[in-house]
């Protein structure tokens, strides 16, 4: 498949999952609002969710794929399967042990994570139990991440993009249960937390089936620190850190907000919205880039590698910039029209919108980081991206803490400061990654690239010109279309249409390029039928 086609497959299937996820978030907000149970759930989900993003959504796969792909190319399928099995057994044992340890320690850890409610024994019990119920998800996704890497190396992207839908399906069931049975918030919280781990088992099982159908036999045995495992860990550990800067920054923000009632819920809702383009575009392109860049590196095709990276950056910005513009220009419109209901009020929407706007200008950087790290991983260089990630985390911690507590002291919302710090550190991370790639001639900022990027930017600004009046006359539009939900769909639809027309008028894309998105590369095959 072409890079664009692989990305399209990933993005379309991920979009289906994210739509269901949005429905889940609506049910969460309606059920819990921004109260203690919502803070408890977001805290319970924080650690396994961070590892899900680190492993299942790209960072570990990006570090593992070059190793697996290299062994497969040099020594054959059987040797690659042995390498994967050894890595799988070792990592699963380590992560499963960590999960058990964290479950045992959770009664002492939770008051520190959720200090705003530490004096409320009922909230502490619910939050602690919920976190213990979600931790098995982490172990399941460790296996799922490696299975995804095996599938992606073989050019199979559909199944890995489709299975996350089960997280949303499983958690929606207990969230909708109060509509038919009488159940209190605590029981809904615990049932939803248990559903998270159940969904992990389902995802792991389906991916295992996909790998087996591909003809690859993996075995989960006793963990051994073999030379292959040592090499995998040497690259994977810094690779996870390098690819997970955004997630580490998110965790730092979560910890800083533990003393502020409702702040963690605000971050959760803002995070879900600005992570949407990251999940649809950044992760999809990142996963599609790694096998192609690895192949270019192994064969010495440096020009092909540069061209692939250039296409990846241009393609990612074509999808990301309009999303960032919309989140920046009409954040309250989007949140109030879609989320405000039940226990979630318009005041909650206004607070979340202020935070989301300051995440929005960092969205292009979040996506670019996902696109600029694969060239390092393809060359088995995970040390420098790790250093850059640590630097960005340090900036988030330092600047975020200063802004958070500084704004709190002046009576303003400190969570806005965390969003500013996260976006700032993301752009610094991108500057460091891009600077090294340009310096080492792995990528060049050509006139062709600047021309296409400026046209995409112009099309995004044209869309912003349409959305800005809509944000000003939000209430009038809600009355005109009889419902705010209809109004936001119409406005977003018109904005997307304007952007698409502007792309064509400004010649940012051509009809031939659009056709190429749906065209397979010569020689592509699909014997398994998985895609």
């Amino acid at each position: 498949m072409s890079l664009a086609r692989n990305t399209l497959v990933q993005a379309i299937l991920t979009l289906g999952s994210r739509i269901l996820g949005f429905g889940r978030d609506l049910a969460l907000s309606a059920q819990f609002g921004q109260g203690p149970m919502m803070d408890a759930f977001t805290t319970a989900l924080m650690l396994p969710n961070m590892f899900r993003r680190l492993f299942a959504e790209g960072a570990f796969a990006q570090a593992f794929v070059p190793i697996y792909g290299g062994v497969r190319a040099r020594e054959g399928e059987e040797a690659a399967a042995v390498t994967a099995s050894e890595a799988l057994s070792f990592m699963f044992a380590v992560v499963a042990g960590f999960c058990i340890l964290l479950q045992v320690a959770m009664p002492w850890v939770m008051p520190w994570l959720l200090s705003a409610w530490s004096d409320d024994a009922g909230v502490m019990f619910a939050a602690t139990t919920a976190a213990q119920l979600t931790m098995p998800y982490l172990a399941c996704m460790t296996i799922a991440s490696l299975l995804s890497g095996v599938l992606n190396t073989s050019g199979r992207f559909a199944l890995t993009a489709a299975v996350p839908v089960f997280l949303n399906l499983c958690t929606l069931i207990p969230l909708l249960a109060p509509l038919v049975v009488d159940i209190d918030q605590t029981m809904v919280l615990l049932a939803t937390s248990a559903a998270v781990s159940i969904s992990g088992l389902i995802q792991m099982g389906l991916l295992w089936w996909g790998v087996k159908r591909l003809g690859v036999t993996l075995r989960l045995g006793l963990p051994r620190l073999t030379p292959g495992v040592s090499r995998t860990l040497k690259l994977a550990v810094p690779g996870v850190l390098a690819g997970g800067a955004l997630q580490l920054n998110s965790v730092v923000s979560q910890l800083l907000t533990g003393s502020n009632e409702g702040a963690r819920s605000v971050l959760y809702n803002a995070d879900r919205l600005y992570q949407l383009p990251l999940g649809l575009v950044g992760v999809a392109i990142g996963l599609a880039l790694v096998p192609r860049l690895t192949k270019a590196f192994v064969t010495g095709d440096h020009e092909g590698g540069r061209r692939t990276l250039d296409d990846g950056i241009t393609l990612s910005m074509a999808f990301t910039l309009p999303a960032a513009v919309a989140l920046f220009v009409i954040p309250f419109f989007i949140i109030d029209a879609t989320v405000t209901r039940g226990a979630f009020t318009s005041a909650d929407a206004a607070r979340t919108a202020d935070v989301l706007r300051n995440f929005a200008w960092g969205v292009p950087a979040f996506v670019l980081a996902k696109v600029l790290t694969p060239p390092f991983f393809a060359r088995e260089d995970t040390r420098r991206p790790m250093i850059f990630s640590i630097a960005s985390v340090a900036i988030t911690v330092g600047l975020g803490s200063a802004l958070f507590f500084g704004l709190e002291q002046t009576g303003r919302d400190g969570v806005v400061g965390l969003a500013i710090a996260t976006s700032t550190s993301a752009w610094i991370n991108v500057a460091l990654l891009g600077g090294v790639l340009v310096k080492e001639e792995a990528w060049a900022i050509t006139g062709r690239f600047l021309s296409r990027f400026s046209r995409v930017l112009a099309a995004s600004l044209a869309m912003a010109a349409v959305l800005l009046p809509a944000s000003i006359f939000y209430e009038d539009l809600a009355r005109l279309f009889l419902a705010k939900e209809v109004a936001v769909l119409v406005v977003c639809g018109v904005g997307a249409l304007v952007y698409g027309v502007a792309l064509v008028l400004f010649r940012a894309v051509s009809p031939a390029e659009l056709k190429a998105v749906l065209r397979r590369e010569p020689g592509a095959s699909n014997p398994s039928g998985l895609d």
Side-chain angles (χ1 to χ4, degrees):
M1 285 189 181
S2 67
L3 173 63
R5 186 185 175 97
N6 283 340
T7 301
L8 187 64
V9 169
Q10 287 275 115
I12 289 175
L13 291 172
T14 303
L15 177 61
S17 175
R18 293 305 172 100
I19 291 173
L20 274 174
F22 185 63
R24 180 197 68 183
D25 292 338
L26 291 181
L28 273 170
S29 296
Q31 182 67 227
F32 300 137
Q34 290 186 351
M37 291 298 103
M38 186 64 173
D39 282 356
F41 180 75
T42 55
T43 303
L45 199 59
M46 180 177 66
L47 286 174
N49 209 30
M50 179 188 72
F51 279 87
R52 176 181 64 84
R53 288 171 179 166
L54 285 173
F55 294 139
E57 291 186 355
F60 177 74
Q62 288 176 346
F64 171 74
V65 165
I67 299 171
Y68 177 80
V71 173
R72 184 183 180 210
R74 292 188 301 268
E75 303 175 37
E77 295 281 359
E78 187 174 344
V82 171
T83 298
S85 297
E86 292 173 347
L88 175 64
S89 300
F90 186 86
M91 287 196 61
F92 177 72
V94 171
V95 176
F98 173 73
C99 290
I100 295 171
L101 179 63
L102 201 55
Q103 286 176 310
V104 173
M106 196 56 66
W108 295 274
V109 173
M110 187 56 66
W112 178 64
L113 293 176
L114 199 59
S115 57
W117 303 100
S118 59
D119 294 332
D120 191 320
V123 173
M124 281 292 102
F125 172 78
T128 299
T129 307
Q132 291 169 331
L133 288 170
T134 59
M135 288 309 299
Y137 183 68
L138 197 164
C140 293
M141 298 317 293
T142 299
I143 295 179
S145 65
L146 190 139
L147 297 173
S148 296
V150 172
L151 288 168
N152 292 344
T153 302
S154 301
R156 306 292 181 255
F157 294 91
L159 188 60
T160 59
V163 292
V165 72
F166 288 97
L167 173 64
N168 301 317
L169 286 174
C170 290
T171 51
L172 264 173
I173 295 172
L175 287 171
L176 296 178
L179 296 177
V180 294
V181 295
D182 186 17
I183 181 172
D184 63 30
Q185 283 192 341
T186 301
M187 289 305 299
V188 173
L189 169 68
L190 298 182
T192 304
S193 301
V196 170
S197 292
I198 293 171
S199 75
L201 287 170
I202 295 173
Q203 292 178 65
M204 179 184 67
L206 286 172
L207 288 170
W208 195 287
W209 166 80
V211 169
K212 186 175 181 180
R213 187 176 177 185
L214 193 63
V216 179
T217 301
L218 299 180
R219 292 178 175 85
L220 188 62
L222 293 175
R224 294 183 300 136
L225 192 59
T226 63
V229 171
S230 298
R231 183 164 172 259
T232 300
L233 292 175
K234 183 179 178 180
L235 291 175
V237 171
V240 165
L241 292 176
L246 176 58
Q247 281 68 50
L248 293 173
N249 286 338
S250 177
V251 170
V252 170
S253 298
Q254 295 276 1
L255 293 176
L256 286 172
T257 56
S259 60
N260 186 318
E261 293 184 11
R264 190 159 289 169
S265 301
V266 169
L267 274 180
Y268 177 84
N269 284 297
D271 177 87
R272 291 293 294 174
L273 286 167
Y274 85 76
Q275 287 271 354
L276 182 60
L278 175 61
L280 290 177
V281 182
V283 172
I285 291 181
L287 289 175
L289 276 176
V290 174
R292 295 170 65 89
L293 290 172
T294 300
K295 181 180 179 181
F297 173 73
V298 171
T299 59
D301 184 10
H302 300 296
E303 180 59 32
R306 284 191 288 268
R307 187 168 57 250
T308 296
L309 183 57
D310 194 71
D311 290 343
I313 294 173
T314 304
L315 184 63
S316 67
M317 289 299 97
F319 284 107
T320 301
L321 283 177
V325 166
L327 295 176
F328 185 85
V329 175
I330 56 170
F332 178 75
F333 194 156
I334 294 172
I335 296 168
D336 191 61
T338 56
V339 183
T340 299
R341 57 181 43 81
F344 193 93
T345 66
S346 290
D348 296 330
R351 185 184 183 189
T352 305
D354 289 339
V355 176
L356 181 58
R357 180 176 285 110
N358 284 285
F359 277 128
W361 56 268
V363 165
F366 303 148
V367 173
L368 281 172
K370 289 288 185 182
V371 179
L372 293 176
T373 50
F376 292 90
F377 294 148
R379 295 179 293 174
E380 298 189 6
D381 176 9
T382 56
R383 184 182 63 84
R384 286 183 295 182
M386 179 190 68
I387 293 172
F388 300 156
S389 295
I390 292 173
S392 72
V393 171
I395 292 169
T396 300
V397 173
L399 181 60
S401 298
L403 291 174
F404 178 78
F405 294 113
L407 290 173
E408 291 279 303
Q409 289 178 355
T410 61
R412 288 176 287 180
D413 193 354
V415 186
V416 173
L418 295 177
I420 293 172
T422 302
S423 294
T424 300
S425 68
W427 279 111
I428 293 174
N429 187 36
V430 165
L432 293 170
L433 291 168
V436 169
L437 292 175
V438 171
K439 182 180 179 181
E440 297 182 350
E441 299 183 352
W443 178 57
I445 303 177
T446 62
R448 176 178 175 271
F449 169 78
L450 290 176
S451 175
R452 296 192 67 183
F453 178 78
S454 64
R455 294 176 188 187
V456 170
L457 180 60
S460 300
L461 293 176
M463 186 189 75
V466 173
L467 296 182
L468 186 59
S471 67
I472 298 172
F473 300 105
Y474 163 52
E475 294 183 358
D476 295 326
L477 288 172
R479 286 193 293 269
L480 175 65
F481 292 104
L482 304 179
K484 58 185 181 180
E485 292 84 359
V486 176
V488 75
L489 288 175
V490 171
V491 169
C492 289
V494 171
L497 179 62
V498 169
Y499 177 70
V501 171
L503 279 179
V504 176
L505 290 178
F506 298 156
R507 293 188 296 175
V509 296
S510 67
E513 288 171 324
L514 293 176
K515 291 179 182 178
V517 169
L518 301 177
R519 188 184 304 131
R520 284 183 178 272
E521 290 181 334
S525 62
N526 186 25
S528 71
L530 291 175
D531 283 56

